[in-house]
C-alpha cells in the first residue's frame, strides 16, 4: 500500500511494530526456521483444541519490516481460480473474480519460468522464479506423483491452478540465493521518493475515532504512547490476529465481546474476529535418506495440489516436500527421526473448521487470543488422513526408492491410530486469515472496496479480509489484496 500510494504524491507514514529486515536470518532463504519464535515473530499460540488432542499450536506472524514476507518460505502460490470467483460472489463485485485478478498478476509479475502469455507476466516489479538447481528429491517427487495419477506441470501457477490440480516445482521469491521480501519490491523504492516515512518499533494500539470516522492512530514507541493524525485515510494491514484486535480495542466489533472487556461500542460489527482460518500442515511423513543430500533454496521445493474427494470443486490438499525432518513436539520424541531425513508434509488448504480471535482485556499490550478450532469440523480430519495416506503412497513409490533407506513415520497404522497420529502431527502452514471477511452478509466486516462497514476513513488490506482462505500459500493473494486496495484508493 505504501508503494502504491507513494506514486500519487500522498504523504504516507508506515508504522511497523518490529525492526529492520536487513539481517542474515531474513535475507538468507534457508534460515527461515530461525525466525520462528524469535523477536521477528509475534509469538502467538492457539488455545488448546480438542481436534489436535488438546495441543496448542504455534501461529507465527512476522513482526519485522515486511511482515510475513520476511519470515516465510518465499513460496509464490497464486491461489486457485475458484478462490477468486468465490471472493467475487461473496463481495458482490466482479472486480475480485479470477479473470480480473489474473490481469493484476500479469501486470505485477516478472516471471522467469516457462513462458505463458495467457497467464504469466514479465517485466513487472515482482521477480518470481522456479526453484533453481533443486535437490534431486524434488523432481523425483513429481515423477512419484505422476505414478499415482497426479499430473506434473511446468508451472505451479499456470493452467494447473484452473482445474483439478497437479504437481510442480515451487515458484519462489528468491533471486541469486537471496530472499526477495515485499519491502524490497514496494517499500524501499517508495522511501526514496521522499513522501513515505517508515517508523519501526512502533506498535499500533488503537484507532482514533471522531464519531464513526477514523482520524488517526495511537501507537507505542520506545515505551511512550504517541498519536498521529491522518488527513485522508488509515490503512490497517496488521494481519488476521492483530487487525481484529486493533478494531475491537477501538470499539469496532461484536458488542457483547466489547462489553465483556469494558470497551465502549462505536460500531457493532459481529463479524470482527470471527471466521478464523488457517491451513493445516502435518509434520509429517518422514523417510530416512540412503545417502543424505543437502537441502536447497528455502528447504521446500516441490508441492502438489489434489482433491481428497473427487466431488469437490477444486483441490483441498497441498502437501509440500520439506528437505529436512519435520515433526511436532509429540511425534518427534515418539518416532525420533534422524537428521539425515526428508519429509512430505500433508496439507489441508480448504479447511471447513472455523475459529475466532478474541480479547481477554482492554490492555493494548496484551496479546489477542486465538480459539482456532483446528480439525473441529468432521470433514477436516478425514481429509487430513487421506492426505497422509497419499503422501505415504508417493514417498514409498518406486520413483523415490533411490532416496529411501526406510520410512520413519508414521508407517502403516490402523484407522484409529492414523487418526490419532494426524491429530498429534497437525500443525499449520502459518496462513492465518479471514477474521475481517469481505462480503455482504451480517458477518462481513468490509465491502468489496475494503471499507469497514459503518466506519469512514478506514481501509483494511491484509489476509483478514479473505472470505475463505486461498488454496495455497497466502503471500501472493495478500499482495493481490494490497494491489486491489491500491487500485481503489488511487482511482
Amino acid at each position: 500500500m505504501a508503494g502504491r500510494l507513494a506514486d500519487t504524491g500522498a504523504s504516507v507514514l508506515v508504522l511497523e511494530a518490529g525492526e529492520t529486515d536487513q539481517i542474515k536470518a531474513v535475507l538468507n532463504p534457508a534460515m527461515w526456521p530461525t525466525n520462528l519464535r524469535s523477536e521477528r515473530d509475534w509469538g502467538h499460540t492457539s488455545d488448546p483444541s480438542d481436534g489436535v488432542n488438546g495441543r496448542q499450536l504455534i501461529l507465527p506472524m512476522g513482526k519485522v519490516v515486511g511482515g510475513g514476507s520476511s519470515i516465510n518460505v518465499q513460496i509464490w502460490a497464486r491461489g486457485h481460480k475458484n478462490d477468486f470467483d468465490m471472493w467475487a460472489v461473496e463481495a458482490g463485485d466482479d472486480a475480485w473474480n479470477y479473470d480480473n485478478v489474473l490481469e493484476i498478476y500479469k501486470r505485477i509479475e516478472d516471471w522467469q519460468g516457462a513462458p505463458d502469455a495467457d497467464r504469466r507476466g514479465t517485466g513487472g516489479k515482482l521477480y518470481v522464479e522456479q526453484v533453481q538447481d533443486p535437490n534431486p528429491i524434488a523432481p523425483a517427487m513429481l515423477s512419484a506423483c505422476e505414478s499415482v495419477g497426479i499430473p506434473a506441470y511446468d508451472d505451479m501457477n499456470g493452467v494447473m491452478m484452473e482445474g483439478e490440480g497437479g504437481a510442480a516445482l515451487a515458484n519462489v521469491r528468491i533471486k541469486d540465493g537471496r530472499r526477495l521480501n515485499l519491502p524490497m519490491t514496494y517499500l524501499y523504492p517508495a522511501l526514496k521518493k521522499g513522501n513515505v516515512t517508515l517508523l519501526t518499533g512502533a506498535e499500533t494500539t488503537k484507532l482514533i475515532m471522531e464519531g464513526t470516522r477514523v482520524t488517526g492512530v495511537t501507537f507505542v514507541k520506545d515505551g511512550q504512547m504517541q498519536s498521529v493524525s491522518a488527513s485522508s485515510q488509515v490503512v490497517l494491514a496488521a494481519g488476521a490476529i492483530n487487525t481484529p484486535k486493533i478494531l475491537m480495542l477501538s470499539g469496532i466489533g461484536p458488542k457483547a465481546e466489547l462489553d465483556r472487556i469494558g470497551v465502549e461500542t462505536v460500531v457493532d460489527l459481529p463479524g470482527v474476529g470471527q471466521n478464523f482460518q488457517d491451513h493445516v500442515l502435518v509434520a509429517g511423513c518422514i523417510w530416512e535418506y540412503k545417502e543424505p543430500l543437502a537441502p536447497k533454496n528455502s528447504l521446500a521445493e516441490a508441492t502438489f495440489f489434489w482433491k481428497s474427494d473427487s466431488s469437490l470443486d477444486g483441490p483441498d490438499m497441498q502437501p509440500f516436500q520439506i528437505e529436512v525432518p519435520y515433526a511436532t513436539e509429540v511425534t518427534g520424541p515418539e518416532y525420533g527421526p534422524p537428521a539425515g531425513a526428508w519429509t512430505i508434509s500433508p496439507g489441508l488448504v480448504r479447511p471447513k473448521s472455523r475459529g475466532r480471535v478474541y480479547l481477554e482485556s482492554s490492555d493494548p499490550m496484551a496479546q489477542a487470543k486465538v480459539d482456532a478450532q483446528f480439525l473441529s469440523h468432521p470433514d477436516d480430519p478425514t481429509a487430513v488422513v487421506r492426505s497422509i495416506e497419499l503422501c505415504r503412497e508417493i514417498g514409498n513409490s518406486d520413483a523415490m526408492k533411490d532416496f529411501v533407506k526406510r520410512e520413519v513415520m508414521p508407517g502403516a497404522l490402523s484407522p484409529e491410530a492414523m487418526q490419532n497420529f494426524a491429530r498429534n502431527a497437525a500443525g499449520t502452514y502459518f496462513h492465518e486469515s479471514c477474521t475481517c471477511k469481505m462480503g455482504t452478509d451480517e458477518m462481513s466486516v468490509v465491502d468489496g472496496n475494503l471499507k469497514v462497514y459503518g466506519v469512514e476513513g478506514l481501509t483494511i488490506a491484509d489476509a483478514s479480509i479473505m472470505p475463505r482462505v486461498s488454496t495455497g500459500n497466502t503471500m501472493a493473494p495478500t499482495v493481490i489484496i494490497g494491489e486491489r486496495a491500491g487500485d481503489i484508493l488511487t482511482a
Side-chain angles (χ1 to χ4, degrees):
M1 287 303 306
R4 288 296 308 276
L5 294 172
D7 293 335
T8 70
S11 177
V12 180
L13 173 64
V14 180
L15 296 176
E16 167 56 55
E19 300 294 346
T20 182
D21 57 334
Q22 298 300 298
I23 59 172
K24 186 176 180 181
V26 170
L27 300 178
N28 183 340
M31 292 183 66
W32 66 264
T34 67
N35 293 308
L36 307 183
R37 298 320 239 195
S38 76
E39 65 273 18
R40 294 172 295 283
D41 174 6
W42 281 93
H44 294 293
T45 303
S46 70
D47 293 348
S49 177
D50 290 343
V52 290
N53 287 344
R55 296 165 54 232
Q56 294 178 268
L57 306 189
I58 66 168
L59 301 173
M61 297 195 80
K63 187 180 183 181
V64 58
V65 175
S69 77
S70 293
I71 69 168
N72 67 7
V73 194
Q74 297 103 63
I75 306 300
W76 186 257
R78 287 175 162 189
H80 194 274
K81 175 183 187 295
N82 291 350
D83 295 334
F84 302 106
D85 289 342
M86 180 268 188
W87 290 9
V89 171
E90 289 290 304
D93 185 349
D94 282 341
W96 288 97
N97 70 25
Y98 177 71
D99 289 342
N100 287 320
V101 165
L102 181 59
E103 291 305 310
I104 298 175
Y105 275 129
K106 289 164 65 177
R107 182 184 83 210
I108 66 176
E109 284 182 347
D110 186 17
W111 168 235
Q112 304 296 305
D116 182 352
D118 291 333
R119 298 177 183 85
R120 303 308 301 257
T122 57
K125 64 179 66 175
L126 277 154
Y127 181 98
V128 181
E129 68 179 22
Q130 193 172 71
V131 288
Q132 300 294 298
D133 186 28
N135 183 317
I137 65 170
M141 194 185 92
L142 305 190
S143 298
C145 287
E146 289 186 303
S147 75
V148 301
I150 301 171
Y153 288 82
D154 290 335
D155 180 7
M156 68 176 283
N157 284 313
V159 67
M160 182 178 114
M161 292 306 286
E162 295 177 356
E164 303 294 301
L169 296 179
N171 283 195
V172 291
R173 289 269 296 151
I174 297 173
K175 185 176 183 181
D176 299 328
R178 176 178 164 130
R179 175 193 293 270
L180 291 176
N181 63 0
L182 293 172
M184 293 180 187
T185 298
Y186 287 95
L187 180 59
Y188 292 138
L191 293 178
K192 296 176 183 178
K193 295 178 184 293
N195 59 324
V196 177
T197 301
L198 169 64
L199 189 62
T200 59
E203 182 173 344
T204 300
T205 54
K206 66 184 296 187
L207 307 170
I208 299 170
M209 309 286 294
E210 291 184 5
T212 58
R213 172 175 286 279
V214 176
T215 61
V217 301
T218 60
F219 62 94
V220 173
K221 167 77 172 169
D222 297 327
Q224 299 296 315
M225 188 70 73
Q226 302 185 44
S227 64
V228 61
S229 296
S231 59
S232 59
Q233 190 79 199
V234 170
V235 179
L236 193 50
I241 297 176
N242 284 324
T243 284
K245 172 188 172 180
I246 293 168
L247 289 175
M248 287 188 279
L249 289 176
S250 308
I252 303 168
K255 185 176 186 306
E257 286 287 293
L258 301 183
D259 288 347
R260 181 177 55 78
I261 61 171
V263 172
E264 181 180 354
T265 300
V266 178
V267 178
D268 183 7
L269 272 183
V272 172
Q274 305 300 306
N275 195 45
F276 175 87
Q277 297 171 46
D278 195 350
H279 294 145
V280 173
L281 187 68
V282 175
C285 300
I286 298 179
W287 290 264
E288 185 176 3
Y289 274 112
K290 282 185 177 177
E291 298 291 337
L293 296 174
K296 298 288 188 72
N297 288 285
S298 57
L299 320 182
E301 300 182 295
T303 189
F304 68 87
F305 295 84
W306 205 240
K307 296 180 182 181
S308 67
D309 182 332
S310 61
S311 68
L312 296 172
D313 69 350
D316 65 329
M317 299 185 295
Q318 188 202 0
F320 232 108
Q321 187 180 65
I322 300 175
E323 296 165 358
V324 294
Y326 186 43
T328 69
E329 80 288 355
V330 177
T331 59
E334 180 179 354
Y335 288 89
W342 56 275
T343 306
I344 303 178
S345 282
L348 178 64
V349 289
R350 286 275 189 91
K352 295 182 179 178
S353 302
R354 300 290 184 265
R356 68 183 182 114
V357 171
Y358 66 98
L359 305 183
E360 289 189 315
S361 76
S362 59
D363 177 4
M365 295 294 102
Q367 278 199 342
K369 305 288 287 183
V370 183
D371 178 16
Q373 292 293 312
F374 293 119
L375 303 186
S376 59
H377 191 287
D379 290 353
D380 285 356
T382 299
V384 168
V385 167
R386 174 65 187 121
S387 189
I388 293 171
E389 292 169 342
L390 185 56
C391 290
R392 290 192 64 239
E393 185 179 3
I394 291 166
N396 290 322
S397 67
D398 286 344
M400 301 303 299
K401 64 183 180 182
D402 289 345
F403 307 97
V404 174
K405 179 178 180 181
R406 66 183 176 101
E407 180 183 357
V408 177
M409 64 186 246
L413 301 175
S414 69
E416 181 180 1
M418 187 62 82
Q419 281 268 358
N420 191 56
F421 170 80
R423 297 180 191 281
N424 284 332
T428 94
Y429 252 112
F430 316 146
H431 295 162
E432 304 91 340
S433 54
C434 305
T435 52
C436 296
K437 76 167 187 146
M438 175 174 62
T440 58
D441 66 10
E442 64 180 10
M443 296 303 289
S444 297
V445 176
V446 300
D447 63 17
N449 286 326
L450 304 180
K451 305 299 185 184
V452 177
Y453 283 109
V455 179
E456 299 172 85
L458 180 64
T459 293
I460 298 180
D462 61 26
S464 72
I465 70 93
M466 295 181 182
R468 182 183 71 199
V469 64
S470 59
T471 304
N473 312 70
T474 48
M475 174 168 60
T478 305
V479 170
I480 289 296
I481 292 166
E483 285 282 353
R484 281 282 301 127
D487 289 345
I488 292 163
L489 290 178
T490 59

